[in-house]
């Protein structure tokens, strides 16, 4: 026992060293982490300011194509072909995101959602003709996301054609503050799916919409917003214009095969739909929507968001000036 | 039992050490608690709302009256909504002349507590507004406050218009020492606001030749008997022992120009030939008082006096030349 | 002098200091008031508050740097904080002394022996630190059990009001805290547990003690038993940490009470630098226990989120509170803001805002003396961890350099028109509009004239300014309040005149001789009402309107979190 009473010099030094190192480590960590300004402690990461530009170089006379016909598979293929073919937009090995409007958990036949035939055909074109590496589909619907993809038939179309569905999971949203925007400030946006692809294609149907007049390709980007987005209905025209500023797609497809003329944007009955047998594709969302408005017997001048987007030079409502390419697919379904 | 003694001896030392530390802590806390933390306190009482303008905030600093005085209270701030609380009777005078804010602070002499000076520091938005309220309240029997161009003192107060600010310092008593401190403070304010130069830009348009020193005046309404002439800045000139008045206004120059012309003619004035090359310059003789006026460059300005037109022209030419340069 | 005497003096001193600091947490310049603003020293010395916020925010908020002093001293000499400083520990020691003073030596030795369960506190600490550090979900819950915030909260919102409310010395009006009963039960449980085992909280629960138990492993001076030991076990008799000096000393449990030095009759206990094999410097932790604790912490936040109430993202917090995510990383539930708030509007949340928000500050405009006082930012200056950040009054009011940012908005008031007197009951009121402190006012009114029910009155005759009625059923002067009007319809013309007085069968109206020619068959009595509206652009959510609203319950004007600045 006696030898335990006295600490050896070595042990004592070791203990002092350990205590000293620990104390020094605590002090230096404290100094390193020291911060007196609270606001510096959390406002360090600047918010994202938007997406990159997914558009491709313009080709005169190939900005908008309008194909009439009843079979969506045929009309959409023709419409894309008239814009210069899918390989104008998608290069081999690239990844593509399709953004259909799948807001509601309703079957495709009532026209509230983008038609699975279009999804299937575009996916096929991307894979076969453009040799794309991967096609993704995403939307942040109003109803339960998984049910929306399932019931609209888009999940089935995707599975069949080899596209991957990205459900709007919470961790895919990022806070975005769009430059020059009033509403999209520090707002959660379905960011990750767009950030990881090379090209983005918007796919929407022509629908009556009580608050904004018409829901078409520009309004379709509403499905990228998260958070309490219903607040934006208080200023619907501004949010549509800001969404148009936010997303610059490679091209958009507007389905006017059956136009929802009443009870939009949900519809619910075949009587809400009118056969207009038109498929529009284009690189200028505003021009595409301006033409789409005519299917609802509206003039572009009656839709304030078109006017305001045009004033901001986001596109033109005078689609005639872009010399649309017209075609007709003969034959019934 | 040497071991125990040693142990208890060490214990005692350590114990006293602990108690010493406790006494130290108690002392520091007692001291801190007795010394009132003004910064933290002010921050929630609102005494230190800093004006946006940094220059402005340093004006009424603790040191304004030097080491012999100390501030009696923090700076008081007033805006157009609560100006009445501070200066009830005269508030409208300021409110009608572009008033933005008022800061007040009282400084007390350290040696004689009854001796104090209160500084009123008005932000009037524009230099001419500051001059206007200064001129309207000008006292006679005053001593100039050189080198401040627009400043003077009377036995118990000091007044000055410096830049866009109007300053009043009122004193607790007719006390020459106190007045000297106040004058020094006013000069200090002047040097902070515009070092070296304290002029009012609008008044610089008046030519300096033959100018009667300290004759600048602001006439809020009914200038020269004409109800249309409002917010007039004027200055006097002496040529051949005759007094000539020059004037400028910025309010409604084009309209005032027309209305003044009509006023003169309606009251029996006669058009004169003046031979000046000044654009739109009119000359009217109203029972011996000659008027020369025009509206160059967003101003309405003129020269008048019961003198030969040639004398008037001397001043007029210079005045309009200055105005056209702008 | 014995070191234990010095320890007792130290404990009494720091306990008194702690209570005194809570007492002086009252706005004012006097010695017995806030004066020097040093009332946070215990919270700033608390290493657990510092460590947990470092884990959650990855930075050390400046005033918490004081805790480094305690950490370093603990590393060098051990858990002196528990033995000499901790006011909560001192309280437990005193209660334990009272509880067990009549026990025999044998019973005392048994009571103070080391128990394996003492390692529970380490697991509690681990779980709390994992919750604090969990990426994306960082949340501080240490305040629930950390003795400094716990005792601060208990004194602030429980003990002081209990003592002061009957006498109103500290506060002119009674201080009310709605979740005080829960605070009381937690406090009582920990006090009563001392009757089971002495200093139960310190030995089994205290996460701060656990932190010290991990830090003191390299301490240079330690309790050592020397060769004079006769193995009598008397050293265990009063051991406050139950670190069993009679056996292998559990260094991590030793809280430097030095009772063993006193109790040893044989001089066999030293406090020195000797390196004895009979010292265990690490706590008794099992790998399985550590993993289980970490796992608990890992799952705690997702589990709490499951039961978060729907309004947990719309909590109304004091002005200057950080956005909810950052707030959750900092608030240690100490209750200092609730204690200091001059109007008592800051209230400890219950579990209605989600379990994790228990005892965090929220605004309840219906309690206290007048909503959030316009010219006050005291809560931001008192907050020890800047969960409510310090800001100047200029910033709060949007003046001076902050003019372009506008005032800080706590929320927005909304009218419940189904309860509001002028809206729902045709009763003039607008107390809210009068009390709105914003200039220009955020509550404005529109004038309407509403028909008073059952007051279409048949006219017998009219003479100058008096209308005589067919039947005399009016209660005299019912309509003489100045708010009632008579609407006289004659042909296409509507004439509305204020009622000056009425008897049972006649109404006198203001203005003279206007309706001699008019012979209406009946007149309508109307009431003039100013119906209030909120201008959301101007409203700052101070809640004074809600406080003043005469409608009982939550009032007819209710502040919601809508538009609050902190989430922008």
């Amino acid at each position: 026992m006696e030898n335990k009473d006295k600490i050896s010099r070595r042990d004592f030094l070791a203990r002092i060293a350990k205590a000293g190192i620990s104390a020094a480590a605590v002090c230096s960590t404290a100094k390193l982490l020291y911060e007196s300004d609270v606001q510096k402690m959390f406002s360090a990461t600047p918010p994202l300011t938007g997406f990159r530009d997914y558009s491709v170089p313009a080709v005169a006379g190939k900005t908008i194509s309008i194909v009439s016909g009843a079979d969506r598979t045929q009309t959409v293929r023709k419409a894309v072909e008239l814009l210069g073919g899918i390989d104008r937009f998608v290069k081999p090995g690239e990844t593509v995101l399709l953004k259909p409007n799948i807001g509601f958990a309703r079957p495709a036949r009532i026209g509230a959602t983008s038609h699975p035939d279009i999804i299937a055909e575009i996916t096929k074109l991307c894979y076969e003709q453009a040799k794309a590496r991967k096609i993704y589909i995403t939307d942040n619907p109003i109803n339960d996301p998984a049910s929306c993809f399932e019931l609209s038939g888009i999940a089935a179309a995707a599975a069949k054609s080899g596209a991957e569905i990205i459900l709007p999971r919470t961790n895919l949203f990022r806070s975005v503050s769009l430059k020059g925007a009033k509403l999209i400030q520090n707002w959660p946006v379905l960011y990750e799916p767009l950030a990881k692809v090379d090209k983005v294609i918007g796919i929407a149907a022509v629908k009556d919409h009580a608050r904004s007049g018409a829901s078409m390709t520009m309004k379709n980007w509403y499905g990228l917003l998260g958070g309490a987005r219903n607040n934006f209905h208080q200023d619907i025209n501004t949010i549509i214009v800001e969404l148009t500023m936010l997303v610059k797609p490679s091209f958009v497809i507007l389905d006017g095969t059956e136009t929802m003329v009443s009870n939009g944007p949900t519809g619910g009955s075949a009587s809400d739909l009118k056969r207009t047998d038109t498929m529009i594709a284009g690189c200028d969302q505003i021009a595409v929507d301006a033409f789409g408005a005519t299917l609802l017997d509206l003039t572009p001048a009656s839709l304030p968001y078109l006017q305001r987007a045009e004033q901001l030079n986001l596109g033109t409502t005078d689609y005639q000036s872009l010399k649309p390419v017209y075609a007709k697919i003969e034959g019934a379904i | 039992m040497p071991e125990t003694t040693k142990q208890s001896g060490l214990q005692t030392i350590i114990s006293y050490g602990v108690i010493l530390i406790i006494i130290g802590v108690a002392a520091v806390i007692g001291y801190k608690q007795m010394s009132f933390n003004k910064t933290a306190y002010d921050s929630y009482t609102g005494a230190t709302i800093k004006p946006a303008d940094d220059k402005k905030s340093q004006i009424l600093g603790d040191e304004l009256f030097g080491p012999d005085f100390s501030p009696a209270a923090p700076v008081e701030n007033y805006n157009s909504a609560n100006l009445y609380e501070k200066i009830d009777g005269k508030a409208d005078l300021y409110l009608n002349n572009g008033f933005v804010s008022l800061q007040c602070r009282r400084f007390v002499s350290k040696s004689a507590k009854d001796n104090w000076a209160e500084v009123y520091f008005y932000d009037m938005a524009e230099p001419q507004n500051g001059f206007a309220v200064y001129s309207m309240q000008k006292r006679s029997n005053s001593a100039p406050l050189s080198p401040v161009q627009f400043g003077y003192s009377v036995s118990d107060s000091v007044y000055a218009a410096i830049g866009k600010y109007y300053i009043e310092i009122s004193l607790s008593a007719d006390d020459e020492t106190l007045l000297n401190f106040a004058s020094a403070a006013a000069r200090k304010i002047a040097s902070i606001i515009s070092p070296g130069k304290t002029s009012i830009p609008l008044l610089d348009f008046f030519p300096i030749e033959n100018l009667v020193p300290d004759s600048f005046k602001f006439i809020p309404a009914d200038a020269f008997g004409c109800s249309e002439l409002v917010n007039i800045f004027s200055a006097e000139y002496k040529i051949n022992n005759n007094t000539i008045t020059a004037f400028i206004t910025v309010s409604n120059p084009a309209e005032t120009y027309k209305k003044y012309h009509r006023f003169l003619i309606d009251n029996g004035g006669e058009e004169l030939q003046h031979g000046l090359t000044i654009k739109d310059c009119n000359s009217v003789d109203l029972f011996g008082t000659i008027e020369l006026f025009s509206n160059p460059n967003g101003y309405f300005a003129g020269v008048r006096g019961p003198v030969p037109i040639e004398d008037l022209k001397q001043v007029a030419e210079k005045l309009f030349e200055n105005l056209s340069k702008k | 002098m014995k070191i234990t005497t010095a320890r007792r003096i130290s404990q009494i001193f720091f306990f008194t200091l702690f209570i005194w600091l809570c007492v002086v947490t009252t706005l004012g310049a006097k010695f017995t008031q806030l004066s020097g603003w040093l009332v946070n020293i215990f919270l700033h010395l608390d290493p657990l508050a510092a460590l947990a916020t470092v884990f959650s925010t990855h930075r050390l908020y400046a005033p918490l740097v004081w805790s480094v002093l305690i950490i370093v001293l603990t590393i060098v000499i051990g858990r002196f904080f528990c033995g000499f400083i901790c006011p909560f520990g001192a309280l437990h020691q005193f209660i334990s002394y009272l509880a067990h003073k009549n026990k025999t030596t044998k019973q005392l030795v048994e009571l103070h022996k080391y128990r394996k369960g003492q390692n529970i506190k380490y697991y509690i600490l681990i779980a709390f630190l994992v919750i604090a550090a969990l990426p994306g979900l960082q949340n501080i819950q240490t305040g629930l059990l950390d003795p400094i915030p716990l005792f601060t909260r208990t004194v602030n919102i429980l003990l002081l009001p209990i003592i002061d409310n009957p006498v109103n010395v500290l506060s002119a009006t009674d201080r009310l805290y709605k979740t005080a009963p829960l605070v009381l039960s937690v406090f009582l449980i920990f006090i009563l547990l001392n009757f089971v085992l002495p200093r139960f909280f310190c030995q089994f629960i205290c996460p701060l003690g656990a932190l010290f138990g991990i830090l003191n492993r390299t301490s240079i001076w330690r309790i050592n038993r020397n060769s004079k030991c006769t193995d009598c076990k008397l050293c265990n008799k009063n051991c406050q940490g139950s670190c069993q000096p009679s056996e292998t000393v559990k260094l991590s449990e030793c809280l430097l009470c030095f009772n063993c030095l006193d109790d040893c009759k044989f001089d066999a206990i030293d406090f020195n630098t000797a390196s004895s094999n009979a010292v265990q410097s690490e706590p008794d932790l099992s790998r399985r226990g550590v993993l289980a604790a970490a796992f608990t912490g890992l799952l705690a936040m997702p589990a709490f989120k499951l039961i978060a109430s729907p309004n947990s993202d719309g909590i109304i917090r004091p002005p200057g509170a950080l956005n909810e995510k950052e707030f959750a990383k900092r608030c240690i539930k100490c209750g200092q803001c609730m204690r200091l708030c001059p109007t008592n509007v800051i209230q400890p949340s219950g579990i209605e805002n989600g379990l994790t928000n228990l005892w965090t500050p929220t605004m309840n405009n219906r309690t206290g003396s007048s909503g959030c006082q316009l010219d006050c930012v005291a809560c931001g200056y008192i907050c020890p961890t800047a969960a409510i950040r310090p800001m100047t009054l200029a910033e709060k009011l949007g003046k001076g350099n902050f003019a372009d940012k506008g005032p800080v908005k706590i929320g927005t008031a909304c009218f419940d028109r189904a309860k509001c007197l002028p809206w729902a009951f045709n009763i003039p009121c607008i107390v809210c509009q009068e009390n709105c402190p914003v200039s220009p006012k955020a509550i404005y009114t529109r004038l309407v004239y509403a028909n008073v029910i059952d007051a279409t009155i048949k006219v017998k005759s009219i003479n100058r300014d008096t209308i005589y009625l067919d039947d005399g059923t009016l209660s005299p002067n019912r309509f003489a309040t100045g708010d009632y009007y008579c609407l006289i319809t004659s042909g296409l013309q509507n004439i509305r005149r204020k009622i000056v007085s009425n008897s049972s069968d006649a109404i006198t109206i203001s203005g003279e001789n206007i309706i001699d020619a008019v012979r209406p068959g009946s007149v309508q009595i109307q009431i003039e009402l100013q119906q209030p509206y909120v201008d959301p652009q101007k409203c700052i959510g101070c809640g004074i309107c809600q406080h003043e609203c005469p409608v009982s319950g939550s009032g007819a004007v209710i502040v919601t979190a809508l538009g609050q600045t902190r989430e922008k």
Side-chain angles (χ1 to χ4, degrees), chain A residues 1-8 11-12 15-16 18-20 22-24 26-27 29-42 186, chain C residues 54 57-62 65 68 71-72 75 218-220 222 225-227 272-277 322-323 326 330 386 389-390 395 567-568:
Chain A
M1 288 290 273
E2 204 53 44
N3 59 338
K4 281 181 193 163
D5 282 2
K6 285 270 179 281
I7 188 167
S8 75
D11 282 356
F12 181 65
R15 201 185 286 176
I16 287 190
K18 270 193 211 163
S22 309
V26 168
C27 291
T29 311
K31 187 166 189 299
L32 190 72
L33 300 178
Y34 184 85
E35 178 62 71
S36 56
D37 187 344
V38 192
Q39 277 169 305
K40 276 193 197 145
M41 290 168 74
F42 61 94
N186 200 4
Chain C
V54 163
T57 66
H58 311 142
R59 306 293 294 162
L60 178 66
Y61 180 48
V65 82
V68 173
I71 295 177
V72 169
I75 288 172
T218 58
S219 62
I220 294 167
R222 297 160 182 203
R225 208 152 32 94
N226 62 34
S227 48
N272 60 16
T273 56
S275 70
S276 162
N277 290 337
L322 302 183
N323 68 58
E326 294 296 329
R330 287 169 174 82
R389 70 182 169 84
E395 182 176 2
E567 292 296 346
K568 280 186 181 152

Side-chain angles (χ1 to χ4, degrees), chain A residues 174-190:
Chain A
R174 290 284 178 276
S175 192
V176 171
S177 291
L178 180 63
K179 226 177 250 167
K182 189 178 93 179
L183 302 178
I184 304 180
Q185 284 300 327
N186 200 4
W187 198 268
V189 169
L190 186 49

Side-chain angles (χ1 to χ4, degrees), chain A residues 11-330:
Chain A
D11 282 356
F12 181 65
L13 286 179
R15 201 185 286 176
I16 287 190
K18 270 193 211 163
I21 289 168
S22 309
V26 168
C27 291
S28 46
T29 311
K31 187 166 189 299
L32 190 72
L33 300 178
Y34 184 85
E35 178 62 71
S36 56
D37 187 344
V38 192
Q39 277 169 305
K40 276 193 197 145
M41 290 168 74
F42 61 94
S43 54
T45 45
L48 300 164
T49 54
F51 296 115
R52 64 171 176 276
D53 187 345
Y54 298 97
S55 61
V56 297
V59 177
K62 287 188 172 174
T63 307
I64 175 167
S65 62
I66 298 162
V67 179
S68 57
D71 179 11
R72 290 183 173 90
T73 308
Q74 291 186 37
T75 51
V76 79
R77 187 192 307 146
K78 187 72 185 168
V80 172
E81 184 191 316
L82 293 176
L83 284 185
I86 191 74
D87 34 5
R88 174 188 161 195
F89 300 100
V90 180
K91 301 295 171 220
E94 286 190 332
T95 52
V96 183
L97 178 79
L98 310 186
K99 165 61 184 79
N101 177 348
I102 324 177
F104 305 98
R106 303 304 309 271
R109 66 181 158 76
I110 67 161
T113 51
S114 298
H115 203 280
D117 288 355
I118 303 175
I119 307 295
E121 183 59 22
I122 296 292
T123 308
K124 200 175 124 201
L125 287 175
C126 286
Y127 275 133
E128 291 178 5
Q129 209 173 316
K131 307 284 181 240
R133 183 154 55 86
K134 187 77 188 165
I135 314 299
Y136 299 98
I137 302 172
T138 198
D139 192 18
N140 181 25
I142 293 161
N143 299 152
D144 166 58
S147 316
C148 288
F149 281 96
E150 214 50 55
L151 283 171
S152 63
I154 289 187
K160 219 169 114 188
S161 54
E164 184 185 324
I165 284 179
I166 304 177
L167 288 175
R169 290 191 302 273
T170 316
N171 56 7
L172 299 180
F173 287 83
R174 290 284 178 276
S175 192
V176 171
S177 291
L178 180 63
K179 226 177 250 167
K182 189 178 93 179
L183 302 178
I184 304 180
Q185 284 300 327
N186 200 4
W187 198 268
V189 169
L190 186 49
Y191 186 83
E192 297 300 339
L194 274 80
K196 74 173 183 183
V197 297
D198 302 310
K199 293 288 150 63
V200 171
I201 302 171
I203 300 170
V206 185
K207 297 197 289 180
D208 167 48
H209 189 260
R211 187 68 184 84
S212 67
S215 169
M216 296 177 289
T217 62
M218 290 160 73
K219 171 75 172 55
N220 181 31
W221 305 118
Y222 207 84
L224 296 178
L225 295 172
R229 59 180 172 180
N230 289 352
N231 282 327
F232 291 143
H233 269 61
Q234 296 158 26
D235 197 355
I236 192 77
N237 290 306
T238 303
I239 191 64
I240 295 177
V241 172
E242 289 184 6
L243 285 167
T244 313
M245 288 157 64
L246 178 70
V247 190
K248 297 196 168 55
S250 312
F251 69 100
V252 293
I253 292 163
L254 181 61
D255 177 14
T257 310
E258 291 173 293
T259 296
M260 185 180 288
V261 290
S262 55
N263 293 317
T266 49
S269 153
S271 66
D272 290 326
L273 301 176
K274 187 176 108 185
R275 282 218 80 88
T276 41
D277 284 343
T278 311
M279 185 67 70
I280 309 111
C283 306
D284 178 344
Q285 307 178 62
I286 290 118
V288 169
D289 282 6
F291 178 83
T294 63
L295 299 177
L296 283 162
D297 295 328
L298 296 168
T299 60
S302 68
L303 296 174
Y305 64 81
L306 288 179
Q307 301 302 315
R308 285 173 50 189
E310 182 170 47
Q311 279 160 19
L312 291 171
N313 292 323
L314 297 170
T316 175
T317 58
D318 182 8
Y319 58 88
Q320 293 292 6
S321 69
L322 299 173
K323 307 209 170 19
V325 203
Y326 290 93
K328 194 169 167 68
I329 303 286
E330 300 294 346

Side-chain angles (χ1 to χ4, degrees), chain B residues 3-4 7-8 11-12 14-16 18-19 22 25-26 28-30 32-37 40-41 43-46 49-53 81, chain C residues 1-3 6 9-10 13 17 20 24 27-29 31 33-38 41 228 261 267 270 375-378 381 393-394 399-401:
Chain B
E3 186 78 42
T4 314
Q7 187 71 21
S8 69
Q11 271 203 39
T12 308
I14 293 175
S15 300
Y16 283 129
V18 168
I19 287 169
I22 290 173
V25 169
V28 170
I29 286 174
K32 283 285 273 181
Q33 183 69 4
M34 273 190 284
S35 49
F36 174 51
N37 183 344
Y41 194 81
S43 62
Y44 71 80
T45 56
I49 290 192
K50 293 247 176 1
D53 179 352
Chain C
M1 188 198 266
K2 285 189 207 159
I3 187 85
I9 293 172
S10 174
F13 170 75
L17 176 64
W20 183 72
V24 303
L27 285 181
F31 187 71
Q33 292 174 324
L34 203 46
S35 185
W37 283 87
L38 32 76
I41 43 183
K228 293 176 202 150
L261 250 65
D267 243 344
D270 297 320
D375 287 339
C376 174
V377 287
Y381 279 90
L393 199 54
K399 289 186 176 167
N401 294 334

Side-chain angles (χ1 to χ4, degrees), chain C residues 331-492:
Chain C
C331 180
I332 56 171
K333 311 171 195 276
C334 62
Q336 288 288 71
C337 50
M338 305 162 201
R339 168 77 186 88
L340 186 60
C341 176
T343 71
N344 198 201
V345 67
I346 307 181
Q347 288 288 317
S349 169
I351 56 170
E352 72 274 11
N353 292 317
L355 272 183
T356 54
N357 282 315
L358 180 65
W359 295 325
T360 57
T362 56
M363 307 291 266
N364 183 337
N365 296 312
R366 295 296 276 184
T367 56
S369 54
S370 75
C372 175
Q373 203 163 289
L374 200 63
D375 287 339
C376 174
V377 287
C379 47
Y381 279 90
I382 197 83
C383 183
T385 56
I388 308 171
R389 70 182 169 84
M391 66 177 167
T392 61
L393 199 54
E395 182 176 2
K396 185 188 179 194
L397 301 177
K399 289 186 176 167
N401 294 334
F402 298 90
D404 53 335
K405 287 196 174 154
V408 167
K409 223 170 137 72
I410 305 166
T412 308
C414 302
F415 278 102
D416 184 346
R417 291 188 184 177
K419 285 187 190 160
C420 175
L421 302 179
W423 281 104
F425 302 106
N426 282 354
I427 300 173
C429 177
I430 65 157
V431 177
C432 49
Q433 191 264 358
E434 284 163 21
N435 280 288
C436 178
V438 180
S439 174
K441 284 182 185 293
I443 297 181
Y444 60 96
T445 59
R446 286 184 185 147
L447 207 58
V448 295
Y449 293 89
N451 289 347
V452 174
I453 199 155
D454 74 14
T456 306
I457 291 170
K458 293 244 175 343
V459 175
K460 190 159 75 182
S461 62
I462 294 180
N463 180 13
R464 297 180 66 86
D465 57 357
T466 307
I467 303 168
Y468 296 96
L469 312 177
D470 263 358
D471 49 358
T473 55
L474 296 183
S475 41
N477 280 341
R478 175 187 163 193
F479 299 123
T481 62
D483 297 313
Y484 290 94
Y485 286 74
C486 217
L487 182 69
I488 303 141
T489 308
S490 163
L492 294 173

